[in-house]
Amino acid sequence: LYLAQQQLYLSVDVKASGLHMLGSLTVFLLVFRMNQSMARNNEAMDRSDRLFSELERLVQEVCSCLVGAREDHLADLVNGRPSPSEAEQQQLRLSAELARAV
């Protein structure tokens, strides 16, 4: 505004109340924008907390199913170890059913 006045040789009468209103509006908009940013930040924190909680639960379920399903059975077959007995197989079936039920 100051440069435009000098180049065009215009005189603009600006009252203090107008500047005060413009300053108040600018502060209001900045505060509103900051509140919106904080709301988005809080929502992102909540969503990331839920995401990692669900991932933790998923990892726990996968690990429990792998332990119940005897994940090293394939390595035993490849290395020539004997296959599990009938009682061990029944125990593995029960462990798998229990893992599915949970």
Side-chain angles (χ1 to χ4, degrees), residues 24-35:
S24 298
L25 178 65
T26 304
V27 168
F28 171 75
L29 291 175
L30 288 173
V31 168
F32 179 75
R33 185 74 172 170
M34 185 183 69
N35 286 340

Side-chain angles (χ1 to χ4, degrees), residues 4-99:
Q5 286 178 1
Q6 285 184 347
Q7 290 177 357
L8 300 175
Y9 302 107
L10 294 174
S11 172
V12 177
D13 186 24
V14 179
K15 295 186 180 182
S17 62
L19 288 177
H20 180 70
M21 185 178 72
L22 185 62
S24 298
L25 178 65
T26 304
V27 168
F28 171 75
L29 291 175
L30 288 173
V31 168
F32 179 75
R33 185 74 172 170
M34 185 183 69
N35 286 340
Q36 291 296 319
S37 297
M38 286 300 297
R40 283 195 305 268
N41 183 39
N42 291 338
E43 183 179 352
M45 293 291 284
D46 290 341
R47 286 185 180 190
S48 63
D49 286 344
R50 279 187 280 156
L51 171 72
F52 285 109
S53 296
E54 291 297 320
L55 285 176
E56 180 184 14
R57 186 186 61 79
L58 179 65
V59 167
Q60 288 174 348
E61 284 187 26
V62 167
C63 289
S64 67
C65 289
L66 286 178
V67 169
R70 193 170 171 191
E71 76 280 1
D72 58 343
H73 182 65
L74 181 61
D76 291 344
L77 290 176
V78 170
N79 294 330
R81 295 188 184 114
S83 61
S85 67
E86 190 64 36
E88 289 176 335
Q89 289 178 2
Q90 181 63 24
Q91 181 65 32
L92 290 174
R93 283 190 206 104
L94 291 174
S95 296
E97 287 178 20
L98 180 63

